[in-house]
Amino acid sequence: MTSGLRERQKIDRSNRILDVARDRFQSEGYDAVTIESIAADANVSAVTVYNYYGTKANLLLALVKESDERLIAQLRALTESLPLDIREAVAEFGQIMRRHAMTYLTKRTWREVIASSILQGGRQFGQTYQALDRVLIGIMADIMVIYQQQGSLTPEIEAAGFADTLFEMQNIRFFQFVSDDDQGEATADQIFRRDVWAIFATKQVYHHSEIRT
Amino acid sequence: MTSGLRERQKIDRSNRILDVARDRFQSEGYDAVTIESIAADANVSAVTVYNYYGTKANLLLALVKESDERLIAQLRALTESLPLDIREAVAEFGQIMRRHAMTYLTKRTWREVIASSILQGGRQFGQTYQALDRVLIGIMADIMVIYQQQGSLTPEIEAAGFADTLFEMQNIRFFQFVSDDDQGEATADQIFRRDVWAIFATKQVYHHSEIRT
DNA sequence: TAAGAAACTTTAGTCACTAAAAATATAAGT
DNA sequence: ACTTATATTTTTAGTGACTAAAGTTTCTTA
């Protein structure tokens, strides 16, 4: 653990690249910025950028990752003050994710991120994305457990698996939201709500001994 | 509507391009084939290929579309001989789609198709994909209506919306399936089944006056 | 048949990305 | 300190998707 010079230089270089990329993507937009120009600004060669981040989209992904903690914090905050209706909780979960996403990148750029993460297919760099997903699914699972404990979600359902289902439903609606420049956040919210209400229909526990035929 | 020479030539050219692309993609694989070489074989310039199909991935998409009718036929066949359990029907729907997909393209190539259709974001060429989706959702909706009519799915649910939800759920599981080279069809089937069983929990109509508390 | 329009080809270029060789700087051994 | 080994980066050269614009061919139509 000597943390030699070589090691420090690597960290420094990767930070420089990230710093430059953040600034330029922000001010000029993803497409307008070339890897070559990022490399120049960061005082490395273009090949070095590729060695560090693999692809242009991955560089973007590394940037996105920086905001992960904030997103996780927001979702954990939701866990602290959950609405009475479990469906509202899930809908809000989706809304938080959508809003968060839109504050960091444009739809155009999100498409780039999603497309490249599909292309990479879980390999090498592509795993960054998956790691976050797992954490988020975990939070969703926690929420399900809470509703089960307070008796408003039937305990027959396996929380983790169900959380995964809900999360992926939210995920594909996000893909669609991002793929359609005309779809506003309000519409996206409506669509996901419809999903959630359909999925939860009669899945809640009714306390006043209701009868179904 | 004279169907002039010019028009016929265009059709002929686009067919030639598609024919060559089909053969080469099939025998050499998507990545190994260059647009330039397709153009050469089809006796047009590369730019003409771009003018006709926009991108390489779109050329692929045009090929995929050829098998659409077969897929639609298979799903309609399912509609004719539905299982008793609605959940089995939905699971089978997913299985048919997965199997069909795998007979035409490799996972690697599907990733390419999906990624590019996300990138294009519903614009121009990208709509091809959406058109098929709408048809498939329609079939799923038909299936839901049938179960409602025969009294095994609660009529409170709006069939079209619910079909959309189920279809998209299947869709994202397909994305995941294709993104993970290690995920076999059996696993994919299991995962989607878990989704479907969770979604349908208590959504069916129980004929023998069961009671829930 | 000649003007006009449509469609194609050529040309030139940008950019992401890759492989391999060459250069350079750090680490390690003496 | 000095040399050798090694890690890492840069240079070089190239492929291939994709685009814009100018030039050329070919069909259409008056």
Side-chain angles (χ1 to χ4, degrees):
Chain A
M1 300 287 118
T2 25
S3 177
L5 175 55
R6 200 155 250 167
E7 214 169 323
R8 269 176 284 140
Q9 282 178 324
K10 277 179 95 164
I11 293 168
D12 188 52
R13 262 190 291 266
S14 71
N15 284 337
R16 255 154 49 211
I17 293 170
L18 225 52
D19 288 344
V20 172
R22 185 171 29 246
D23 283 4
R24 315 261 326 238
F25 282 158
Q26 186 73 40
S27 59
E28 297 160 51
Y30 181 75
D31 289 318
V33 179
T34 68
I35 293 281
E36 205 80 39
S37 75
I38 291 174
D41 280 17
N43 278 309
V44 292
S45 77
V47 173
T48 297
V49 176
Y50 284 111
N51 282 337
Y52 274 82
Y53 295 98
T55 66
K56 192 182 175 186
N58 256 313
L59 191 47
L60 190 56
L61 207 57
L63 254 22
V64 171
K65 234 197 94 182
E66 294 181 336
S67 70
D68 282 3
E69 283 172 37
R70 236 161 307 180
L71 173 59
I72 290 169
Q74 282 179 62
L75 290 174
R76 286 217 191 286
L78 169 65
T79 311
E80 302 305 317
S81 62
L82 287 168
L84 277 172
D85 191 332
I86 188 172
R87 298 169 299 190
E88 294 289 350
V90 177
E92 204 171 323
F93 189 101
Q95 207 171 49
I96 288 171
M97 288 201 58
R98 230 174 296 122
R99 270 209 290 264
H100 179 268
M102 286 300 101
T103 47
Y104 289 95
L105 298 178
T106 63
K107 284 187 175 190
R108 176 75 192 64
T109 313
W110 272 111
R111 269 175 241 154
E112 212 81 40
V113 172
I114 294 169
S116 92
S117 88
I118 285 178
L119 269 183
Q120 280 155 351
R123 296 262 161 276
Q124 233 193 334
F125 296 92
Q127 294 173 334
T128 316
Y129 213 59
Q130 294 186 328
L132 174 62
D133 277 11
R134 263 190 292 276
V135 174
L136 301 183
I137 292 169
I139 294 175
M140 179 70 92
D142 290 346
I143 294 176
M144 291 304 111
V145 169
I146 290 173
Y147 281 102
Q148 282 184 324
Q149 285 169 344
Q150 70 176 51
S152 50
L153 175 65
T154 170
E156 291 157 26
I157 281 183
E158 202 259 306
F162 190 47
D164 188 52
T165 301
L166 289 170
F167 181 82
E168 295 303 344
M169 194 71 227
Q170 138 68 26
N171 222 12
I172 193 142
R173 291 305 185 193
F174 178 69
F175 287 7
Q176 291 181 327
F177 168 62
V178 149
S179 296
D180 183 358
D181 287 318
D182 298 331
Q183 184 175 126
E185 288 197 40
T187 309
D189 191 53
Q190 272 182 345
I191 294 171
F192 185 51
R193 269 170 178 271
R194 201 198 56 196
D195 293 329
V196 173
W197 261 248
I199 290 173
F200 273 95
T202 65
K203 205 174 269 70
Q204 294 166 89
V205 176
Y206 298 98
H207 292 286
H208 305 294
S209 61
E210 293 174 1
I211 295 165
R212 291 173 69 254
T213 48
Chain B
M1 299 291 114
T2 24
S3 175
L5 176 55
R6 198 154 253 169
E7 214 168 323
R8 269 176 282 139
Q9 282 178 323
K10 278 179 92 165
I11 292 168
D12 186 51
R13 261 189 294 264
S14 69
N15 284 338
R16 254 155 49 212
I17 293 170
L18 226 52
D19 288 344
V20 172
R22 184 172 28 247
D23 283 3
R24 314 265 324 241
F25 283 158
Q26 186 73 40
S27 59
E28 296 161 51
Y30 182 76
D31 288 319
V33 179
T34 68
I35 293 282
E36 205 80 38
S37 75
I38 291 174
D41 280 17
N43 278 310
V44 292
S45 77
V47 174
T48 297
V49 176
Y50 285 111
N51 282 337
Y52 276 83
Y53 294 98
T55 66
K56 193 183 176 186
N58 255 313
L59 189 48
L60 189 57
L61 205 59
L63 254 21
V64 171
K65 235 198 93 180
E66 294 181 335
S67 71
D68 282 3
E69 280 173 39
R70 236 160 307 178
L71 173 60
I72 291 169
Q74 282 180 62
L75 291 173
R76 285 216 192 285
L78 168 65
T79 310
E80 301 306 317
S81 61
L82 286 169
L84 277 173
D85 191 332
I86 187 173
R87 297 169 300 189
E88 294 289 351
V90 177
E92 202 171 324
F93 189 101
Q95 206 171 50
I96 289 172
M97 287 200 58
R98 230 173 299 122
R99 269 209 288 264
H100 178 268
M102 286 301 102
T103 47
Y104 290 95
L105 298 178
T106 64
K107 285 188 174 190
R108 175 74 192 65
T109 313
W110 271 110
R111 272 176 239 153
E112 212 80 43
V113 171
I114 295 168
S116 93
S117 88
I118 286 177
L119 269 182
Q120 280 155 350
R123 298 261 159 274
Q124 231 191 335
F125 294 92
Q127 295 175 333
T128 315
Y129 213 59
Q130 295 187 328
L132 173 62
D133 278 10
R134 263 191 292 276
V135 174
L136 301 184
I137 292 170
I139 295 175
M140 178 69 92
D142 290 345
I143 294 176
M144 292 302 111
V145 168
I146 291 173
Y147 281 103
Q148 282 183 324
Q149 285 170 346
Q150 71 177 49
S152 49
L153 174 67
T154 169
E156 291 157 27
I157 282 183
E158 201 260 306
F162 190 48
D164 188 51
T165 301
L166 290 170
F167 181 81
E168 295 303 342
M169 194 73 228
Q170 138 68 26
N171 224 10
I172 193 142
R173 291 304 185 192
F174 178 68
F175 287 7
Q176 292 181 328
F177 169 63
V178 149
S179 296
D180 182 358
D181 286 319
D182 298 330
Q183 185 175 127
E185 287 197 43
T187 309
D189 191 52
Q190 272 181 343
I191 294 172
F192 185 50
R193 268 170 179 271
R194 201 199 56 196
D195 293 328
V196 173
W197 261 248
I199 290 173
F200 273 95
T202 66
K203 205 172 268 73
Q204 293 167 90
V205 175
Y206 299 98
H207 291 286
H208 304 295
S209 61
E210 292 172 3
I211 295 167
R212 292 173 69 255
T213 47

